[in-house]
Amino acid sequence: MKNSLPKLRAALLLLAALLLPVLNAAAQQAADSPEMADTLRQSGKIYVVVAVITVVLAGLLAFLISLDRKVGRLERELKDN
């Protein structure tokens, strides 16, 4: 019980540190829509931005899957030996 209190406090501080910037950004967004997004949408370049983000995320996902397979293979080899 004594060890769980510092861990809980650290977890709550981390959660607060992660949520405060999000709340600040949400408050600013309600005031006015960003001009850059409107410009990109009007010129059709928003699709390029979305495509680049999709490719990057797909690459990260493929890397994580391949890394998981390699780690699994190494764990099986270690377990067999």
mmCIF file of all heavy atoms in Angstrom, residues 1-30:
data_model
loop_
_atom_site.group_PDB
_atom_site.id
_atom_site.type_symbol
_atom_site.label_atom_id
_atom_site.label_comp_id
_atom_site.label_asym_id
_atom_site.label_seq_id
_atom_site.Cartn_x
_atom_site.Cartn_y
_atom_site.Cartn_z
ATOM 1 N N MET A 1 0.821 -1.193 0.000
ATOM 2 C CA MET A 1 0.000 0.000 0.000
ATOM 3 C C MET A 1 0.868 1.261 0.000
ATOM 4 O O MET A 1 0.542 2.235 -0.642
ATOM 5 C CB MET A 1 -0.929 -0.042 1.218
ATOM 6 C CG MET A 1 -1.875 1.098 1.290
ATOM 7 S SD MET A 1 -3.172 0.875 0.096
ATOM 8 C CE MET A 1 -4.180 2.240 0.480
ATOM 9 N N LYS A 2 1.989 1.213 0.728
ATOM 10 C CA LYS A 2 2.848 2.380 0.809
ATOM 11 C C LYS A 2 3.511 2.686 -0.531
ATOM 12 O O LYS A 2 3.704 3.837 -0.870
ATOM 13 C CB LYS A 2 3.919 2.177 1.872
ATOM 14 C CG LYS A 2 3.387 2.137 3.270
ATOM 15 C CD LYS A 2 4.504 1.935 4.271
ATOM 16 C CE LYS A 2 3.948 1.862 5.685
ATOM 17 N NZ LYS A 2 5.010 1.657 6.663
ATOM 18 N N ASN A 3 3.847 1.657 -1.301
ATOM 19 C CA ASN A 3 4.514 1.861 -2.586
ATOM 20 C C ASN A 3 3.558 2.360 -3.656
ATOM 21 O O ASN A 3 3.986 2.954 -4.627
ATOM 22 C CB ASN A 3 5.178 0.564 -3.058
ATOM 23 C CG ASN A 3 6.378 0.212 -2.209
ATOM 24 O OD1 ASN A 3 6.966 1.071 -1.569
ATOM 25 N ND2 ASN A 3 6.738 -1.048 -2.201
ATOM 26 N N SER A 4 2.286 2.109 -3.503
ATOM 27 C CA SER A 4 1.338 2.493 -4.539
ATOM 28 C C SER A 4 1.023 3.991 -4.535
ATOM 29 O O SER A 4 0.683 4.560 -5.561
ATOM 30 C CB SER A 4 0.039 1.696 -4.401
ATOM 31 O OG SER A 4 -0.605 2.031 -3.188
ATOM 32 N N LEU A 5 1.169 4.649 -3.397
ATOM 33 C CA LEU A 5 0.857 6.080 -3.318
ATOM 34 C C LEU A 5 1.797 6.935 -4.177
ATOM 35 O O LEU A 5 1.315 7.782 -4.941
ATOM 36 C CB LEU A 5 0.868 6.547 -1.867
ATOM 37 C CG LEU A 5 0.390 7.977 -1.626
ATOM 38 C CD1 LEU A 5 -1.039 8.145 -2.102
ATOM 39 C CD2 LEU A 5 0.497 8.333 -0.159
ATOM 40 N N PRO A 6 3.113 6.750 -4.121
ATOM 41 C CA PRO A 6 3.976 7.547 -5.012
ATOM 42 C C PRO A 6 3.735 7.251 -6.488
ATOM 43 O O PRO A 6 3.807 8.147 -7.326
ATOM 44 C CB PRO A 6 5.392 7.149 -4.602
ATOM 45 C CG PRO A 6 5.268 6.621 -3.223
ATOM 46 C CD PRO A 6 3.914 6.005 -3.154
ATOM 47 N N LYS A 7 3.437 5.999 -6.809
ATOM 48 C CA LYS A 7 3.154 5.645 -8.201
ATOM 49 C C LYS A 7 1.867 6.308 -8.675
ATOM 50 O O LYS A 7 1.787 6.796 -9.794
ATOM 51 C CB LYS A 7 3.058 4.135 -8.363
ATOM 52 C CG LYS A 7 4.368 3.425 -8.191
ATOM 53 C CD LYS A 7 4.207 1.930 -8.345
ATOM 54 C CE LYS A 7 5.510 1.214 -8.079
ATOM 55 N NZ LYS A 7 5.366 -0.230 -8.154
ATOM 56 N N LEU A 8 0.865 6.331 -7.813
ATOM 57 C CA LEU A 8 -0.400 6.962 -8.155
ATOM 58 C C LEU A 8 -0.217 8.464 -8.333
ATOM 59 O O LEU A 8 -0.746 9.058 -9.273
ATOM 60 C CB LEU A 8 -1.441 6.677 -7.070
ATOM 61 C CG LEU A 8 -2.821 7.278 -7.278
ATOM 62 C CD1 LEU A 8 -3.454 6.696 -8.531
ATOM 63 C CD2 LEU A 8 -3.692 7.017 -6.075
ATOM 64 N N ARG A 9 0.557 9.080 -7.454
ATOM 65 C CA ARG A 9 0.815 10.508 -7.547
ATOM 66 C C ARG A 9 1.550 10.835 -8.847
ATOM 67 O O ARG A 9 1.200 11.791 -9.541
ATOM 68 C CB ARG A 9 1.637 10.976 -6.359
ATOM 69 C CG ARG A 9 1.867 12.477 -6.347
ATOM 70 C CD ARG A 9 2.640 12.936 -5.136
ATOM 71 N NE ARG A 9 1.896 12.643 -3.923
ATOM 72 C CZ ARG A 9 2.461 12.240 -2.789
ATOM 73 N NH1 ARG A 9 3.753 12.083 -2.710
ATOM 74 N NH2 ARG A 9 1.715 11.996 -1.723
ATOM 75 N N ALA A 10 2.539 10.010 -9.194
ATOM 76 C CA ALA A 10 3.284 10.231 -10.430
ATOM 77 C C ALA A 10 2.374 10.064 -11.648
ATOM 78 O O ALA A 10 2.462 10.824 -12.606
ATOM 79 C CB ALA A 10 4.463 9.268 -10.516
ATOM 80 N N ALA A 11 1.494 9.070 -11.605
ATOM 81 C CA ALA A 11 0.575 8.845 -12.716
ATOM 82 C C ALA A 11 -0.400 10.014 -12.869
ATOM 83 O O ALA A 11 -0.697 10.437 -13.989
ATOM 84 C CB ALA A 11 -0.186 7.537 -12.514
ATOM 85 N N LEU A 12 -0.895 10.536 -11.768
ATOM 86 C CA LEU A 12 -1.816 11.673 -11.831
ATOM 87 C C LEU A 12 -1.119 12.933 -12.344
ATOM 88 O O LEU A 12 -1.700 13.703 -13.109
ATOM 89 C CB LEU A 12 -2.441 11.930 -10.462
ATOM 90 C CG LEU A 12 -3.478 10.897 -10.011
ATOM 91 C CD1 LEU A 12 -3.932 11.191 -8.589
ATOM 92 C CD2 LEU A 12 -4.652 10.870 -10.957
ATOM 93 N N LEU A 13 0.126 13.150 -11.934
ATOM 94 C CA LEU A 13 0.873 14.304 -12.433
ATOM 95 C C LEU A 13 1.136 14.175 -13.933
ATOM 96 O O LEU A 13 1.033 15.157 -14.668
ATOM 97 C CB LEU A 13 2.192 14.447 -11.676
ATOM 98 C CG LEU A 13 2.081 15.003 -10.263
ATOM 99 C CD1 LEU A 13 3.439 14.940 -9.559
ATOM 100 C CD2 LEU A 13 1.554 16.417 -10.277
ATOM 101 N N LEU A 14 1.459 12.971 -14.374
ATOM 102 C CA LEU A 14 1.671 12.747 -15.796
ATOM 103 C C LEU A 14 0.380 12.981 -16.578
ATOM 104 O O LEU A 14 0.387 13.624 -17.631
ATOM 105 C CB LEU A 14 2.188 11.333 -16.038
ATOM 106 C CG LEU A 14 2.410 10.940 -17.491
ATOM 107 C CD1 LEU A 14 3.512 11.792 -18.101
ATOM 108 C CD2 LEU A 14 2.749 9.473 -17.601
ATOM 109 N N LEU A 15 -0.716 12.490 -16.068
ATOM 110 C CA LEU A 15 -2.004 12.694 -16.725
ATOM 111 C C LEU A 15 -2.354 14.177 -16.806
ATOM 112 O O LEU A 15 -2.786 14.660 -17.854
ATOM 113 C CB LEU A 15 -3.102 11.937 -15.970
ATOM 114 C CG LEU A 15 -4.499 12.021 -16.550
ATOM 115 C CD1 LEU A 15 -4.537 11.343 -17.913
ATOM 116 C CD2 LEU A 15 -5.501 11.386 -15.609
ATOM 117 N N ALA A 16 -2.131 14.905 -15.736
ATOM 118 C CA ALA A 16 -2.411 16.341 -15.742
ATOM 119 C C ALA A 16 -1.499 17.068 -16.729
ATOM 120 O O ALA A 16 -1.946 17.965 -17.450
ATOM 121 C CB ALA A 16 -2.238 16.915 -14.339
ATOM 122 N N ALA A 17 -0.232 16.661 -16.783
ATOM 123 C CA ALA A 17 0.705 17.309 -17.700
ATOM 124 C C ALA A 17 0.326 17.051 -19.154
ATOM 125 O O ALA A 17 0.561 17.886 -20.024
ATOM 126 C CB ALA A 17 2.123 16.814 -17.425
ATOM 127 N N LEU A 18 -0.257 15.906 -19.421
ATOM 128 C CA LEU A 18 -0.659 15.595 -20.789
ATOM 129 C C LEU A 18 -1.995 16.226 -21.170
ATOM 130 O O LEU A 18 -2.227 16.543 -22.328
ATOM 131 C CB LEU A 18 -0.726 14.077 -20.988
ATOM 132 C CG LEU A 18 0.617 13.346 -20.942
ATOM 133 C CD1 LEU A 18 0.401 11.844 -21.005
ATOM 134 C CD2 LEU A 18 1.525 13.804 -22.057
ATOM 135 N N LEU A 19 -2.878 16.416 -20.220
ATOM 136 C CA LEU A 19 -4.206 16.940 -20.518
ATOM 137 C C LEU A 19 -4.273 18.465 -20.573
ATOM 138 O O LEU A 19 -5.086 19.017 -21.310
ATOM 139 C CB LEU A 19 -5.219 16.435 -19.492
ATOM 140 C CG LEU A 19 -5.660 14.984 -19.659
ATOM 141 C CD1 LEU A 19 -6.648 14.617 -18.566
ATOM 142 C CD2 LEU A 19 -6.267 14.749 -21.017
ATOM 143 N N LEU A 20 -3.438 19.147 -19.823
ATOM 144 C CA LEU A 20 -3.513 20.610 -19.798
ATOM 145 C C LEU A 20 -3.253 21.251 -21.158
ATOM 146 O O LEU A 20 -4.005 22.153 -21.551
ATOM 147 C CB LEU A 20 -2.569 21.162 -18.734
ATOM 148 C CG LEU A 20 -3.056 20.979 -17.290
ATOM 149 C CD1 LEU A 20 -2.012 21.492 -16.318
ATOM 150 C CD2 LEU A 20 -4.384 21.664 -17.065
ATOM 151 N N PRO A 21 -2.247 20.833 -21.928
ATOM 152 C CA PRO A 21 -2.075 21.445 -23.253
ATOM 153 C C PRO A 21 -3.249 21.166 -24.195
ATOM 154 O O PRO A 21 -3.597 22.004 -25.018
ATOM 155 C CB PRO A 21 -0.786 20.814 -23.790
ATOM 156 C CG PRO A 21 -0.067 20.341 -22.587
ATOM 157 C CD PRO A 21 -1.111 19.977 -21.588
ATOM 158 N N VAL A 22 -3.864 20.001 -24.043
ATOM 159 C CA VAL A 22 -5.005 19.669 -24.897
ATOM 160 C C VAL A 22 -6.182 20.585 -24.593
ATOM 161 O O VAL A 22 -6.849 21.082 -25.499
ATOM 162 C CB VAL A 22 -5.399 18.187 -24.715
ATOM 163 C CG1 VAL A 22 -6.692 17.872 -25.434
ATOM 164 C CG2 VAL A 22 -4.279 17.288 -25.198
ATOM 165 N N LEU A 23 -6.416 20.837 -23.322
ATOM 166 C CA LEU A 23 -7.511 21.734 -22.943
ATOM 167 C C LEU A 23 -7.239 23.155 -23.422
ATOM 168 O O LEU A 23 -8.147 23.846 -23.869
ATOM 169 C CB LEU A 23 -7.702 21.701 -21.427
ATOM 170 C CG LEU A 23 -8.197 20.382 -20.839
ATOM 171 C CD1 LEU A 23 -8.214 20.451 -19.323
ATOM 172 C CD2 LEU A 23 -9.559 20.022 -21.383
ATOM 173 N N ASN A 24 -5.998 23.583 -23.342
ATOM 174 C CA ASN A 24 -5.630 24.916 -23.809
ATOM 175 C C ASN A 24 -5.850 25.029 -25.319
ATOM 176 O O ASN A 24 -6.376 26.028 -25.805
ATOM 177 C CB ASN A 24 -4.175 25.212 -23.454
ATOM 178 C CG ASN A 24 -3.798 26.639 -23.743
ATOM 179 O OD1 ASN A 24 -4.659 27.494 -23.853
ATOM 180 N ND2 ASN A 24 -2.506 26.892 -23.859
ATOM 181 N N ALA A 25 -5.455 24.021 -26.060
ATOM 182 C CA ALA A 25 -5.635 24.042 -27.511
ATOM 183 C C ALA A 25 -7.118 24.024 -27.876
ATOM 184 O O ALA A 25 -7.537 24.687 -28.818
ATOM 185 C CB ALA A 25 -4.917 22.856 -28.142
ATOM 186 N N ALA A 26 -7.922 23.270 -27.147
ATOM 187 C CA ALA A 26 -9.357 23.216 -27.427
ATOM 188 C C ALA A 26 -10.006 24.575 -27.174
ATOM 189 O O ALA A 26 -10.902 24.985 -27.909
ATOM 190 C CB ALA A 26 -10.016 22.141 -26.576
ATOM 191 N N ALA A 27 -9.545 25.274 -26.162
ATOM 192 C CA ALA A 27 -10.107 26.588 -25.859
ATOM 193 C C ALA A 27 -9.747 27.596 -26.950
ATOM 194 O O ALA A 27 -10.539 28.460 -27.302
ATOM 195 C CB ALA A 27 -9.601 27.068 -24.504
ATOM 196 N N GLN A 28 -8.550 27.501 -27.498
ATOM 197 C CA GLN A 28 -8.139 28.426 -28.545
ATOM 198 C C GLN A 28 -8.826 28.125 -29.868
ATOM 199 O O GLN A 28 -9.068 29.014 -30.656
ATOM 200 C CB GLN A 28 -6.624 28.373 -28.727
ATOM 201 C CG GLN A 28 -5.877 28.968 -27.566
ATOM 202 C CD GLN A 28 -4.374 28.862 -27.744
ATOM 203 O OE1 GLN A 28 -3.908 28.296 -28.722
ATOM 204 N NE2 GLN A 28 -3.632 29.376 -26.795
ATOM 205 N N GLN A 29 -9.116 26.870 -30.121
ATOM 206 C CA GLN A 29 -9.716 26.479 -31.396
ATOM 207 C C GLN A 29 -11.141 27.018 -31.529
ATOM 208 O O GLN A 29 -11.582 27.331 -32.625
ATOM 209 C CB GLN A 29 -9.717 24.962 -31.528
ATOM 210 C CG GLN A 29 -10.223 24.477 -32.863
ATOM 211 C CD GLN A 29 -10.241 22.968 -32.936
ATOM 212 O OE1 GLN A 29 -10.162 22.295 -31.924
ATOM 213 N NE2 GLN A 29 -10.366 22.447 -34.118
ATOM 214 N N ALA A 30 -11.847 27.129 -30.446
ATOM 215 C CA ALA A 30 -13.231 27.583 -30.504
ATOM 216 C C ALA A 30 -13.335 29.043 -30.961
ATOM 217 O O ALA A 30 -14.346 29.444 -31.520
ATOM 218 C CB ALA A 30 -13.886 27.409 -29.143
#
